[in-house]
Amino acid sequence: EVHLVESGGGLVEPGGSLRLSCAASGFSFSSYSMTWVRQAPGKGLEWVSSISSTDRYIYYVDSVKGRFTISRDNAENSVFLQMNGLRTEDTAVYYCGRKYSGSQGIDYWGQGTLVTVSS
Amino acid sequence: NFMLTQPHSVSESPGKTVTISCTRSSGNIASNYVHWYQQRPGSSPTLLIYEDYRRPSGVPDRFSGSIDSSSKSASLTISGLKTEDEADYYCQSYDNNTPYVFGTGTKVTVL
């Protein structure tokens, strides 16, 4: 059974940093692209960043370019999101997701981790 | 880039049918697959429909997806509405520049 478990969220002041982790199990992690999606309180889903299976291809939404860095460790079956220069508008639940093996969709999601940026 | 616009909310009685539209602002809706997700209150999203109309195993056939190129829209139809279908629903597509574009989301209320 596929499991994705996020961790690393918390309360941080504006300008601060956090590193989110997503531990994967139940599938051949190194064969799948992974993605981060966030959801601000009471709002809709927003794609944040994606990384291909061998990290050859990396993408970011414009609002986080230069501040967030996605990475993965296939030996540890984990994907990470390093978030620097955090802003209040980055406050959200951050979900880790596995890209569907066919087209560009997400077939499994984690339970999410809450990031709160506030002074 | 393009946007996907959904109605903010829809409501209907149990046993009835609701249809949620997802309109693409530019480009051809049929050029890239559309996926649909269900997010129940307090839970993570789950994949409901993939590649326009396909259902993952375990998703009841009460849920169906379609594409209408003439209206630049995708649709999610829920028939035989049940109270457990009360949730937020999101469409999602992509293009060469953006791997994931989510719709604005629709709240379904079962009266």
Side-chain angles (χ1 to χ4, degrees), chain B residues 72-83:
Chain B
K72 289 191 171 184
S73 290
S75 293
L76 172 70
T77 298
I78 311 172
S79 58
L81 204 57
K82 298 185 176 184
T83 55

mmCIF file with all atom_site columns, all heavy atoms in Angstrom, chain B residues 72-83:
data_model
loop_
_atom_site.group_PDB
_atom_site.id
_atom_site.type_symbol
_atom_site.label_atom_id
_atom_site.label_alt_id
_atom_site.label_comp_id
_atom_site.label_asym_id
_atom_site.label_entity_id
_atom_site.label_seq_id
_atom_site.pdbx_PDB_ins_code
_atom_site.Cartn_x
_atom_site.Cartn_y
_atom_site.Cartn_z
_atom_site.occupancy
_atom_site.B_iso_or_equiv
_atom_site.pdbx_formal_charge
_atom_site.auth_seq_id
_atom_site.auth_comp_id
_atom_site.auth_asym_id
_atom_site.auth_atom_id
_atom_site.pdbx_PDB_model_num
ATOM 1  N N   . LYS B 1 72 ? -14.895 24.409 -24.166 1.00 0.00 ? 72 LYS B N   1
ATOM 2  C CA  . LYS B 1 72 ? -13.631 24.496 -23.431 1.00 0.00 ? 72 LYS B CA  1
ATOM 3  C C   . LYS B 1 72 ? -13.780 24.005 -21.992 1.00 0.00 ? 72 LYS B C   1
ATOM 4  O O   . LYS B 1 72 ? -13.117 24.503 -21.090 1.00 0.00 ? 72 LYS B O   1
ATOM 5  C CB  . LYS B 1 72 ? -13.083 25.924 -23.417 1.00 0.00 ? 72 LYS B CB  1
ATOM 6  C CG  . LYS B 1 72 ? -12.553 26.434 -24.731 1.00 0.00 ? 72 LYS B CG  1
ATOM 7  C CD  . LYS B 1 72 ? -11.801 27.750 -24.513 1.00 0.00 ? 72 LYS B CD  1
ATOM 8  C CE  . LYS B 1 72 ? -11.066 28.181 -25.747 1.00 0.00 ? 72 LYS B CE  1
ATOM 9  N NZ  . LYS B 1 72 ? -10.272 29.407 -25.514 1.00 0.00 ? 72 LYS B NZ  1
ATOM 10 N N   . SER B 1 73 ? -14.664 23.057 -21.780 1.00 0.00 ? 73 SER B N   1
ATOM 11 C CA  . SER B 1 73 ? -14.954 22.618 -20.413 1.00 0.00 ? 73 SER B CA  1
ATOM 12 C C   . SER B 1 73 ? -14.839 21.123 -20.231 1.00 0.00 ? 73 SER B C   1
ATOM 13 O O   . SER B 1 73 ? -15.105 20.340 -21.146 1.00 0.00 ? 73 SER B O   1
ATOM 14 C CB  . SER B 1 73 ? -16.378 23.031 -20.025 1.00 0.00 ? 73 SER B CB  1
ATOM 15 O OG  . SER B 1 73 ? -16.491 24.411 -19.867 1.00 0.00 ? 73 SER B OG  1
ATOM 16 N N   . ALA B 1 74 ? -14.454 20.773 -19.030 1.00 0.00 ? 74 ALA B N   1
ATOM 17 C CA  . ALA B 1 74 ? -14.571 19.405 -18.548 1.00 0.00 ? 74 ALA B CA  1
ATOM 18 C C   . ALA B 1 74 ? -15.699 19.384 -17.527 1.00 0.00 ? 74 ALA B C   1
ATOM 19 O O   . ALA B 1 74 ? -16.039 20.424 -16.951 1.00 0.00 ? 74 ALA B O   1
ATOM 20 C CB  . ALA B 1 74 ? -13.267 18.955 -17.905 1.00 0.00 ? 74 ALA B CB  1
ATOM 21 N N   . SER B 1 75 ? -16.271 18.223 -17.314 1.00 0.00 ? 75 SER B N   1
ATOM 22 C CA  . SER B 1 75 ? -17.362 18.112 -16.350 1.00 0.00 ? 75 SER B CA  1
ATOM 23 C C   . SER B 1 75 ? -17.202 16.868 -15.509 1.00 0.00 ? 75 SER B C   1
ATOM 24 O O   . SER B 1 75 ? -16.738 15.831 -15.990 1.00 0.00 ? 75 SER B O   1
ATOM 25 C CB  . SER B 1 75 ? -18.718 18.057 -17.067 1.00 0.00 ? 75 SER B CB  1
ATOM 26 O OG  . SER B 1 75 ? -19.004 19.266 -17.709 1.00 0.00 ? 75 SER B OG  1
ATOM 27 N N   . LEU B 1 76 ? -17.605 17.023 -14.251 1.00 0.00 ? 76 LEU B N   1
ATOM 28 C CA  . LEU B 1 76 ? -17.701 15.891 -13.330 1.00 0.00 ? 76 LEU B CA  1
ATOM 29 C C   . LEU B 1 76 ? -19.160 15.742 -12.972 1.00 0.00 ? 76 LEU B C   1
ATOM 30 O O   . LEU B 1 76 ? -19.794 16.702 -12.527 1.00 0.00 ? 76 LEU B O   1
ATOM 31 C CB  . LEU B 1 76 ? -16.881 16.149 -12.066 1.00 0.00 ? 76 LEU B CB  1
ATOM 32 C CG  . LEU B 1 76 ? -17.050 15.121 -10.939 1.00 0.00 ? 76 LEU B CG  1
ATOM 33 C CD1 . LEU B 1 76 ? -16.410 13.791 -11.331 1.00 0.00 ? 76 LEU B CD1 1
ATOM 34 C CD2 . LEU B 1 76 ? -16.447 15.640 -9.638  1.00 0.00 ? 76 LEU B CD2 1
ATOM 35 N N   . THR B 1 77 ? -19.700 14.557 -13.175 1.00 0.00 ? 77 THR B N   1
ATOM 36 C CA  . THR B 1 77 ? -21.087 14.289 -12.839 1.00 0.00 ? 77 THR B CA  1
ATOM 37 C C   . THR B 1 77 ? -21.162 13.271 -11.721 1.00 0.00 ? 77 THR B C   1
ATOM 38 O O   . THR B 1 77 ? -20.472 12.240 -11.773 1.00 0.00 ? 77 THR B O   1
ATOM 39 C CB  . THR B 1 77 ? -21.864 13.769 -14.069 1.00 0.00 ? 77 THR B CB  1
ATOM 40 O OG1 . THR B 1 77 ? -21.857 14.774 -15.088 1.00 0.00 ? 77 THR B OG1 1
ATOM 41 C CG2 . THR B 1 77 ? -23.302 13.439 -13.704 1.00 0.00 ? 77 THR B CG2 1
ATOM 42 N N   . ILE B 1 78 ? -21.950 13.604 -10.714 1.00 0.00 ? 78 ILE B N   1
ATOM 43 C CA  . ILE B 1 78 ? -22.189 12.688 -9.601  1.00 0.00 ? 78 ILE B CA  1
ATOM 44 C C   . ILE B 1 78 ? -23.674 12.332 -9.631  1.00 0.00 ? 78 ILE B C   1
ATOM 45 O O   . ILE B 1 78 ? -24.527 13.209 -9.462  1.00 0.00 ? 78 ILE B O   1
ATOM 46 C CB  . ILE B 1 78 ? -21.836 13.319 -8.244  1.00 0.00 ? 78 ILE B CB  1
ATOM 47 C CG1 . ILE B 1 78 ? -20.459 13.958 -8.272  1.00 0.00 ? 78 ILE B CG1 1
ATOM 48 C CG2 . ILE B 1 78 ? -21.915 12.260 -7.139  1.00 0.00 ? 78 ILE B CG2 1
ATOM 49 C CD1 . ILE B 1 78 ? -20.125 14.766 -7.010  1.00 0.00 ? 78 ILE B CD1 1
ATOM 50 N N   . SER B 1 79 ? -23.956 11.083 -9.865  1.00 0.00 ? 79 SER B N   1
ATOM 51 C CA  . SER B 1 79 ? -25.351 10.649 -9.893  1.00 0.00 ? 79 SER B CA  1
ATOM 52 C C   . SER B 1 79 ? -25.669 9.887  -8.616  1.00 0.00 ? 79 SER B C   1
ATOM 53 O O   . SER B 1 79 ? -24.772 9.417  -7.905  1.00 0.00 ? 79 SER B O   1
ATOM 54 C CB  . SER B 1 79 ? -25.602 9.772  -11.123 1.00 0.00 ? 79 SER B CB  1
ATOM 55 O OG  . SER B 1 79 ? -24.738 8.649  -11.105 1.00 0.00 ? 79 SER B OG  1
ATOM 56 N N   . GLY B 1 80 ? -26.963 9.772  -8.322  1.00 0.00 ? 80 GLY B N   1
ATOM 57 C CA  . GLY B 1 80 ? -27.360 9.080  -7.100  1.00 0.00 ? 80 GLY B CA  1
ATOM 58 C C   . GLY B 1 80 ? -26.676 9.652  -5.880  1.00 0.00 ? 80 GLY B C   1
ATOM 59 O O   . GLY B 1 80 ? -26.103 8.930  -5.065  1.00 0.00 ? 80 GLY B O   1
ATOM 60 N N   . LEU B 1 81 ? -26.745 10.960 -5.732  1.00 0.00 ? 81 LEU B N   1
ATOM 61 C CA  . LEU B 1 81 ? -26.003 11.695 -4.711  1.00 0.00 ? 81 LEU B CA  1
ATOM 62 C C   . LEU B 1 81 ? -26.222 11.101 -3.317  1.00 0.00 ? 81 LEU B C   1
ATOM 63 O O   . LEU B 1 81 ? -27.352 10.777 -2.928  1.00 0.00 ? 81 LEU B O   1
ATOM 64 C CB  . LEU B 1 81 ? -26.446 13.149 -4.739  1.00 0.00 ? 81 LEU B CB  1
ATOM 65 C CG  . LEU B 1 81 ? -25.502 14.226 -4.215  1.00 0.00 ? 81 LEU B CG  1
ATOM 66 C CD1 . LEU B 1 81 ? -24.174 14.201 -4.950  1.00 0.00 ? 81 LEU B CD1 1
ATOM 67 C CD2 . LEU B 1 81 ? -26.153 15.585 -4.340  1.00 0.00 ? 81 LEU B CD2 1
ATOM 68 N N   . LYS B 1 82 ? -25.111 10.966 -2.578  1.00 0.00 ? 82 LYS B N   1
ATOM 69 C CA  . LYS B 1 82 ? -25.171 10.474 -1.206  1.00 0.00 ? 82 LYS B CA  1
ATOM 70 C C   . LYS B 1 82 ? -24.578 11.513 -0.257  1.00 0.00 ? 82 LYS B C   1
ATOM 71 O O   . LYS B 1 82 ? -23.778 12.351 -0.672  1.00 0.00 ? 82 LYS B O   1
ATOM 72 C CB  . LYS B 1 82 ? -24.377 9.168  -1.079  1.00 0.00 ? 82 LYS B CB  1
ATOM 73 C CG  . LYS B 1 82 ? -24.896 8.026  -1.924  1.00 0.00 ? 82 LYS B CG  1
ATOM 74 C CD  . LYS B 1 82 ? -24.113 6.752  -1.643  1.00 0.00 ? 82 LYS B CD  1
ATOM 75 C CE  . LYS B 1 82 ? -24.692 5.573  -2.418  1.00 0.00 ? 82 LYS B CE  1
ATOM 76 N NZ  . LYS B 1 82 ? -24.004 4.299  -2.092  1.00 0.00 ? 82 LYS B NZ  1
ATOM 77 N N   . THR B 1 83 ? -24.949 11.413 1.002   1.00 0.00 ? 83 THR B N   1
ATOM 78 C CA  . THR B 1 83 ? -24.440 12.386 1.971   1.00 0.00 ? 83 THR B CA  1
ATOM 79 C C   . THR B 1 83 ? -22.919 12.329 2.057   1.00 0.00 ? 83 THR B C   1
ATOM 80 O O   . THR B 1 83 ? -22.267 13.346 2.299   1.00 0.00 ? 83 THR B O   1
ATOM 81 C CB  . THR B 1 83 ? -25.043 12.127 3.366   1.00 0.00 ? 83 THR B CB  1
ATOM 82 O OG1 . THR B 1 83 ? -24.796 10.761 3.745   1.00 0.00 ? 83 THR B OG1 1
ATOM 83 C CG2 . THR B 1 83 ? -26.546 12.368 3.355   1.00 0.00 ? 83 THR B CG2 1
#
